[in-house]
Amino acid sequence: MSEIEDLKNQIIQIDTLLAEEKDDVARRDLEQTKPDLLELVELMEEDEESQEGTSENAKEEKEAVEERIEDDNSTDTLLGSRCMAPFDSDRSLPLHTAIIMDIESSSRVRVLFSHPTCPAMKPCSHFLASTCRYNENCRFSHGYSVELERIEDYQEPDFMSIVEQGLVLVKGSSELWEIGRISAIDGQNVAVKLLKSGSEVSSKRKDLVPLGEIEEKEKKTNRGKS
Ligand SMILES: [Zn+2]
């Protein structure tokens, strides 16, 4: 690696450190170091240009580094954040709540679903403990890869929308969530009729996830189609 590349990498590392550093004194040190390094890189590049006459290359390279720095900043905040993500094998809901567990590239992320509606969405507990031996053959999720542009902002469920006839997610057997419609509410106790099986289950108000917004969205799309 050339000296210039080395310096450029240091600049990128400083940006990463700056994003994490909480201590004011350490931050100030880093903030002062960055322009010094940038200046040094510029000087060295100018020097190289005059030697080789490759001003275009140097300029492109500098732009590439600047882009990399920007990319780093934008993906840093995504990691570990909650979001809404699609799951193509189960379209009973357009979007499911998820957590971004990995940034695969500038356009793809890997997510874990927090309210899985089928086994393939359920985070593999052995994988989370780094002890799963099934890898790609595991029937549970080791993270679902999805295009970044299909990820939407996390929507806090609106618990005011737990009303009779409202759609909700209710936790069923084997830790999976099912979609149901509220048939009756009695204080904290709620009766929910599961859409798939038609059977009625009883649940506590606090164990339900209201789907109010999604239902309205669906109504709108259906109206648009007909
Ligand atoms: Zn597994």
Side-chain angles (χ1 to χ4, degrees):
M1 197 188 284
S2 81
E3 211 175 337
I4 293 183
E5 279 168 12
D6 209 342
L7 282 170
K8 285 175 178 171
N9 277 329
Q10 275 187 46
I11 294 171
I12 293 172
Q13 274 166 18
I14 286 179
D15 277 318
T16 319
L17 286 172
L18 267 175
E20 287 163 4
E21 186 58 66
K22 299 281 185 302
D23 183 63
D24 277 349
V25 179
R27 277 190 74 90
R28 218 171 298 138
D29 276 354
L30 286 168
E31 269 162 358
Q32 278 167 359
T33 315
K34 192 182 164 188
D36 289 349
L37 287 176
L38 279 169
E39 201 177 4
L40 191 58
V41 168
E42 254 167 36
L43 283 173
M44 286 171 78
E45 278 178 347
E46 266 171 30
D47 198 36
E48 242 183 18
E49 272 170 40
S50 56
Q51 278 174 10
E52 299 167 19
T54 55
S55 65
E56 269 312 298
N57 277 349
K59 209 173 150 194
E60 274 169 26
E61 213 175 292
K62 203 171 129 192
E63 277 165 10
V65 168
E66 274 160 11
E67 262 171 40
R68 256 164 78 193
I69 291 172
E70 273 174 24
D71 268 1
D72 261 27
N73 285 345
S74 61
T75 47
D76 260 5
T77 55
L78 283 176
L79 201 60
S81 65
R82 284 207 269 189
C83 66
M84 307 301 292
F87 185 71
D88 291 332
S89 313
D90 183 357
R91 294 173 185 268
S92 54
L93 288 174
L95 292 167
H96 304 258
T97 50
I99 289 169
I100 297 178
M101 61 165 277
D102 193 19
I103 315 282
E104 295 186 310
S105 71
S106 58
S107 60
R108 280 195 95 85
V109 293
R110 195 166 272 271
V111 300
L112 286 174
F113 293 102
S114 53
H115 296 79
T117 53
C118 61
M121 287 173 81
K122 192 176 155 185
C124 169
S125 55
H126 296 287
F127 169 69
L128 295 178
S130 316
T131 54
C132 183
R133 287 170 294 137
Y134 293 104
N135 297 319
E136 306 87 68
N137 299 322
C138 184
R139 57 189 284 253
F140 298 113
S141 176
H142 287 195
Y144 179 63
S145 176
V146 60
E147 296 92 341
L148 187 55
E149 58 176 22
R150 295 177 68 200
I151 298 282
E152 290 191 16
D153 286 343
Y154 173 69
Q155 286 164 8
E156 195 80 43
D158 174 17
F159 287 96
M160 295 301 284
S161 68
I162 294 192
V163 291
E164 280 188 28
Q165 296 308 311
L167 279 184
V168 289
L169 277 179
V170 57
K171 205 175 201 171
S173 53
S174 50
E175 305 284 292
L176 293 177
W177 294 75
E178 289 193 60
I179 304 175
R181 195 175 287 283
I182 296 178
S183 42
I185 301 177
D186 179 14
Q188 293 305 307
N189 299 316
V190 183
V192 179
K193 191 172 181 188
L194 302 177
L195 293 195
K196 247 182 212 165
S197 62
S199 60
E200 201 170 66
V201 296
S202 64
S203 178
K204 296 283 177 204
R205 193 183 273 268
K206 62 177 172 54
D207 296 329
L208 297 174
V209 180
L211 296 171
E213 282 243 343
I214 289 160
E215 188 183 19
E216 266 173 36
K217 254 188 218 166
E218 271 183 350
K219 268 188 205 158
K220 268 179 211 154
T221 29
N222 286 344
R223 217 177 289 152
K225 275 175 202 162
S226 58

